[in-house]
PDB file of all heavy atoms in Angstrom:
ATOM      1  N   GLN B  10     163.019 107.674 120.110  1.00  0.00           N
ATOM      2  CA  GLN B  10     163.708 108.656 119.325  1.00  0.00           C
ATOM      3  C   GLN B  10     163.253 110.099 119.566  1.00  0.00           C
ATOM      4  O   GLN B  10     163.561 110.969 118.672  1.00  0.00           O
ATOM      5  CB  GLN B  10     163.608 108.298 117.836  1.00  0.00           C
ATOM      6  CG  GLN B  10     164.065 106.865 117.591  1.00  0.00           C
ATOM      7  CD  GLN B  10     164.698 106.640 116.271  1.00  0.00           C
ATOM      8  OE1 GLN B  10     164.176 107.220 115.273  1.00  0.00           O
ATOM      9  NE2 GLN B  10     165.757 105.878 116.152  1.00  0.00           N
ATOM     10  N   TRP B  11     162.518 110.370 120.599  1.00  0.00           N
ATOM     11  CA  TRP B  11     162.124 111.716 120.848  1.00  0.00           C
ATOM     12  C   TRP B  11     163.267 112.564 121.408  1.00  0.00           C
ATOM     13  O   TRP B  11     164.230 111.989 122.017  1.00  0.00           O
ATOM     14  CB  TRP B  11     160.924 111.763 121.896  1.00  0.00           C
ATOM     15  CG  TRP B  11     159.708 111.124 121.289  1.00  0.00           C
ATOM     16  CD1 TRP B  11     159.172 111.258 120.083  1.00  0.00           C
ATOM     17  CD2 TRP B  11     158.827 110.197 121.998  1.00  0.00           C
ATOM     18  NE1 TRP B  11     158.062 110.528 119.890  1.00  0.00           N
ATOM     19  CE2 TRP B  11     157.778 109.876 121.104  1.00  0.00           C
ATOM     20  CE3 TRP B  11     158.829 109.611 123.242  1.00  0.00           C
ATOM     21  CZ2 TRP B  11     156.816 108.979 121.426  1.00  0.00           C
ATOM     22  CZ3 TRP B  11     157.855 108.718 123.586  1.00  0.00           C
ATOM     23  CH2 TRP B  11     156.792 108.370 122.687  1.00  0.00           C
ATOM     24  N   CYS B  12     163.178 113.938 121.275  1.00  0.00           N
ATOM     25  CA  CYS B  12     164.278 114.750 121.915  1.00  0.00           C
ATOM     26  C   CYS B  12     164.217 114.545 123.386  1.00  0.00           C
ATOM     27  O   CYS B  12     163.173 114.363 123.983  1.00  0.00           O
ATOM     28  CB  CYS B  12     163.991 116.195 121.602  1.00  0.00           C
ATOM     29  SG  CYS B  12     163.590 116.582 119.870  1.00  0.00           S
ATOM     30  N   CYS B  15     161.274 115.682 125.845  1.00  0.00           N
ATOM     31  CA  CYS B  15     159.972 115.824 125.164  1.00  0.00           C
ATOM     32  C   CYS B  15     158.855 115.369 126.031  1.00  0.00           C
ATOM     33  O   CYS B  15     158.950 114.355 126.752  1.00  0.00           O
ATOM     34  CB  CYS B  15     160.049 114.995 123.841  1.00  0.00           C
ATOM     35  SG  CYS B  15     158.387 114.964 123.005  1.00  0.00           S
ATOM     36  N   GLY B  16     157.718 116.052 125.915  1.00  0.00           N
ATOM     37  CA  GLY B  16     156.533 115.746 126.704  1.00  0.00           C
ATOM     38  C   GLY B  16     155.938 114.391 126.332  1.00  0.00           C
ATOM     39  O   GLY B  16     155.165 113.785 127.134  1.00  0.00           O
ATOM     40  N   ASN B  17     156.310 113.846 125.232  1.00  0.00           N
ATOM     41  CA  ASN B  17     155.799 112.532 124.841  1.00  0.00           C
ATOM     42  C   ASN B  17     156.266 111.404 125.822  1.00  0.00           C
ATOM     43  O   ASN B  17     155.486 110.398 125.993  1.00  0.00           O
ATOM     44  CB  ASN B  17     156.262 112.120 123.428  1.00  0.00           C
ATOM     45  CG  ASN B  17     155.487 112.837 122.324  1.00  0.00           C
ATOM     46  OD1 ASN B  17     154.337 113.147 122.496  1.00  0.00           O
ATOM     47  ND2 ASN B  17     156.122 113.147 121.169  1.00  0.00           N
ATOM     48  N   CYS B  50     155.505 113.338 115.570  1.00  0.00           N
ATOM     49  CA  CYS B  50     156.496 112.808 116.475  1.00  0.00           C
ATOM     50  C   CYS B  50     155.923 111.723 117.359  1.00  0.00           C
ATOM     51  O   CYS B  50     156.479 110.653 117.599  1.00  0.00           O
ATOM     52  CB  CYS B  50     157.097 113.934 117.379  1.00  0.00           C
ATOM     53  SG  CYS B  50     158.115 115.085 116.483  1.00  0.00           S
ATOM     54  N   ASN B 120     150.896 119.586 121.604  1.00  0.00           N
ATOM     55  CA  ASN B 120     152.089 120.434 121.874  1.00  0.00           C
ATOM     56  C   ASN B 120     152.005 121.750 121.135  1.00  0.00           C
ATOM     57  O   ASN B 120     152.938 122.541 121.082  1.00  0.00           O
ATOM     58  CB  ASN B 120     153.380 119.679 121.433  1.00  0.00           C
ATOM     59  CG  ASN B 120     153.312 119.205 120.005  1.00  0.00           C
ATOM     60  OD1 ASN B 120     152.455 119.521 119.280  1.00  0.00           O
ATOM     61  ND2 ASN B 120     154.301 118.441 119.660  1.00  0.00           N
ATOM     62  N   VAL B 122     152.165 122.556 118.210  1.00  0.00           N
ATOM     63  CA  VAL B 122     153.147 122.826 117.180  1.00  0.00           C
ATOM     64  C   VAL B 122     153.282 121.543 116.359  1.00  0.00           C
ATOM     65  O   VAL B 122     152.948 120.484 116.840  1.00  0.00           O
ATOM     66  CB  VAL B 122     154.493 123.299 117.749  1.00  0.00           C
ATOM     67  CG1 VAL B 122     155.181 122.095 118.337  1.00  0.00           C
ATOM     68  CG2 VAL B 122     155.366 123.962 116.661  1.00  0.00           C
ATOM     69  N   GLY B 124     155.591 119.123 115.322  1.00  0.00           N
ATOM     70  CA  GLY B 124     156.900 118.664 115.736  1.00  0.00           C
ATOM     71  C   GLY B 124     157.692 118.052 114.572  1.00  0.00           C
ATOM     72  O   GLY B 124     158.737 118.527 114.163  1.00  0.00           O
ATOM     73  N   LEU B 125     157.080 116.999 114.016  1.00  0.00           N
ATOM     74  CA  LEU B 125     157.811 116.208 112.997  1.00  0.00           C
ATOM     75  C   LEU B 125     158.189 116.993 111.768  1.00  0.00           C
ATOM     76  O   LEU B 125     159.222 116.751 111.182  1.00  0.00           O
ATOM     77  CB  LEU B 125     156.957 114.945 112.635  1.00  0.00           C
ATOM     78  CG  LEU B 125     157.624 113.875 111.882  1.00  0.00           C
ATOM     79  CD1 LEU B 125     158.771 113.301 112.661  1.00  0.00           C
ATOM     80  CD2 LEU B 125     156.673 112.773 111.454  1.00  0.00           C
ATOM     81  N   GLN B 197     151.358 118.928 126.216  1.00  0.00           N
ATOM     82  CA  GLN B 197     152.605 118.241 126.014  1.00  0.00           C
ATOM     83  C   GLN B 197     153.647 119.259 125.467  1.00  0.00           C
ATOM     84  O   GLN B 197     153.631 119.653 124.291  1.00  0.00           O
ATOM     85  CB  GLN B 197     152.420 117.109 125.028  1.00  0.00           C
ATOM     86  CG  GLN B 197     153.676 116.401 124.546  1.00  0.00           C
ATOM     87  CD  GLN B 197     153.845 116.353 123.063  1.00  0.00           C
ATOM     88  OE1 GLN B 197     152.865 116.190 122.311  1.00  0.00           O
ATOM     89  NE2 GLN B 197     155.093 116.404 122.644  1.00  0.00           N
ATOM     90  N   PRO B 198     154.554 119.653 126.288  1.00  0.00           N
ATOM     91  CA  PRO B 198     155.628 120.597 125.801  1.00  0.00           C
ATOM     92  C   PRO B 198     156.492 119.916 124.730  1.00  0.00           C
ATOM     93  O   PRO B 198     156.855 118.768 124.879  1.00  0.00           O
ATOM     94  CB  PRO B 198     156.419 120.897 127.027  1.00  0.00           C
ATOM     95  CG  PRO B 198     155.575 120.563 128.203  1.00  0.00           C
ATOM     96  CD  PRO B 198     154.719 119.404 127.761  1.00  0.00           C
ATOM     97  N   CYS B 199     156.828 120.653 123.710  1.00  0.00           N
ATOM     98  CA  CYS B 199     157.770 120.253 122.678  1.00  0.00           C
ATOM     99  C   CYS B 199     159.051 121.088 122.963  1.00  0.00           C
ATOM    100  O   CYS B 199     159.048 122.258 122.733  1.00  0.00           O
ATOM    101  CB  CYS B 199     157.196 120.537 121.320  1.00  0.00           C
ATOM    102  SG  CYS B 199     158.486 120.542 120.014  1.00  0.00           S
ATOM    103  N   VAL B 200     159.990 120.449 123.631  1.00  0.00           N
ATOM    104  CA  VAL B 200     161.150 121.213 124.027  1.00  0.00           C
ATOM    105  C   VAL B 200     161.886 121.879 122.872  1.00  0.00           C
ATOM    106  O   VAL B 200     162.501 122.976 123.029  1.00  0.00           O
ATOM    107  CB  VAL B 200     162.171 120.354 124.835  1.00  0.00           C
ATOM    108  CG1 VAL B 200     161.657 120.041 126.238  1.00  0.00           C
ATOM    109  CG2 VAL B 200     162.547 119.098 124.078  1.00  0.00           C
ATOM    110  N   THR B 201     161.771 121.388 121.740  1.00  0.00           N
ATOM    111  CA  THR B 201     162.537 121.859 120.570  1.00  0.00           C
ATOM    112  C   THR B 201     161.814 123.061 119.947  1.00  0.00           C
ATOM    113  O   THR B 201     162.425 124.065 119.546  1.00  0.00           O
ATOM    114  CB  THR B 201     162.816 120.775 119.574  1.00  0.00           C
ATOM    115  OG1 THR B 201     163.404 119.732 120.304  1.00  0.00           O
ATOM    116  CG2 THR B 201     163.758 121.240 118.454  1.00  0.00           C
ATOM    117  N   PHE B 202     160.516 122.939 119.750  1.00  0.00           N
ATOM    118  CA  PHE B 202     159.792 124.066 119.024  1.00  0.00           C
ATOM    119  C   PHE B 202     158.787 124.812 119.820  1.00  0.00           C
ATOM    120  O   PHE B 202     158.361 125.878 119.362  1.00  0.00           O
ATOM    121  CB  PHE B 202     159.127 123.408 117.765  1.00  0.00           C
ATOM    122  CG  PHE B 202     160.023 122.743 116.817  1.00  0.00           C
ATOM    123  CD1 PHE B 202     160.091 121.380 116.676  1.00  0.00           C
ATOM    124  CD2 PHE B 202     160.943 123.515 116.048  1.00  0.00           C
ATOM    125  CE1 PHE B 202     160.950 120.748 115.763  1.00  0.00           C
ATOM    126  CE2 PHE B 202     161.888 122.891 115.136  1.00  0.00           C
ATOM    127  CZ  PHE B 202     161.881 121.519 115.044  1.00  0.00           C
TER     128      PHE B 202
HETATM  129  S1  SF4 C 602     160.334 117.907 118.076  1.00  0.00           S
HETATM  130 FE1  SF4 C 602     159.135 118.356 119.906  1.00  0.00          FE
HETATM  131  S2  SF4 C 602     157.492 116.903 119.813  1.00  0.00           S
HETATM  132 FE2  SF4 C 602     159.049 116.179 118.450  1.00  0.00          FE
HETATM  133  S3  SF4 C 602     160.284 114.794 119.711  1.00  0.00           S
HETATM  134 FE3  SF4 C 602     161.252 116.799 119.761  1.00  0.00          FE
HETATM  135  S4  SF4 C 602     160.403 117.691 121.528  1.00  0.00           S
HETATM  136 FE4  SF4 C 602     159.107 116.000 121.064  1.00  0.00          FE
END
Side-chain angles (χ1 to χ4, degrees):
Chain B
Q10 306 211 322
W11 295 314
C12 309
C15 172
N17 284 329
C50 290
N120 56 9
V122 74
L125 193 62
Q197 175 233 324
C199 162
V200 288
T201 307
F202 300 108

